[in-house]
């Protein structure tokens, strides 16, 4: 799980300046977050239920906005919020 969290954090460090760049960054974040979600579930699904739920919420929002919507300011922010909450939860509760 620590490796998956570190990989996500490394991916999340970057920023974006235009819609295609933001779409690419968010898609990378979602791929890394999925790996983190799987690692958390494998370690202890009950203990890490909240961050798992938050990552799933981000994945559902990403599906709703679609790939092109991830590059928009609103779509990016909506999907990024639960991902940030999941990482914050892990920082406080691990």
């Amino acid at each position: 799980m620590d490796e998956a969290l570190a990989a996500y954090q490394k991916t999340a460090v970057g920023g974006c300046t235009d819609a295609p760049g933001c779409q690419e960054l968010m898609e990378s974040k979602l791929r890394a977050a999925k790996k983190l979600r799987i690692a958390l579930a494998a370690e202890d699904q009950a203990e890490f239920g909240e961050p798992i739920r938050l990552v799933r919420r981000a994945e559902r929002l990403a599906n709703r906005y679609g790939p092109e919507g991830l590059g928009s300011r609103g779509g990016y922010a909506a999907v990024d919020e639960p991902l940030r909450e999941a990482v914050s939860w892990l920082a406080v509760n691990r």
Side-chain angles (χ1 to χ4, degrees):
M1 184 222 17
D2 290 331
E3 288 179 22
L5 178 58
Y8 174 81
Q9 290 172 323
K10 183 177 178 182
T11 300
V13 169
C16 58
T17 57
D18 60 8
C22 290
Q23 178 182 342
E24 184 178 320
L25 176 59
M26 183 51 69
E27 288 173 348
S28 295
K29 286 174 139 184
L30 287 165
R31 283 190 298 274
K34 180 178 181 179
K35 291 177 184 177
L36 176 59
R37 176 178 55 79
I38 291 168
L40 291 170
E43 188 159 320
D44 189 336
Q45 191 161 357
E47 180 181 352
F48 297 115
E50 181 65 10
I52 291 169
R53 182 187 67 75
L54 289 164
V55 171
R56 285 186 176 143
R57 186 169 114 210
E59 292 168 338
R60 284 191 304 275
L61 286 167
N63 287 334
R64 183 169 21 140
Y65 281 98
E68 298 80 25
L70 295 177
S72 72
R73 185 177 305 167
Y76 185 94
V79 175
D80 196 45
E81 180 183 351
L83 295 177
R84 285 184 285 118
E85 288 177 23
V87 172
S88 293
W89 188 97
L90 289 168
V92 171
N93 296 291
R94 257 181 20 130

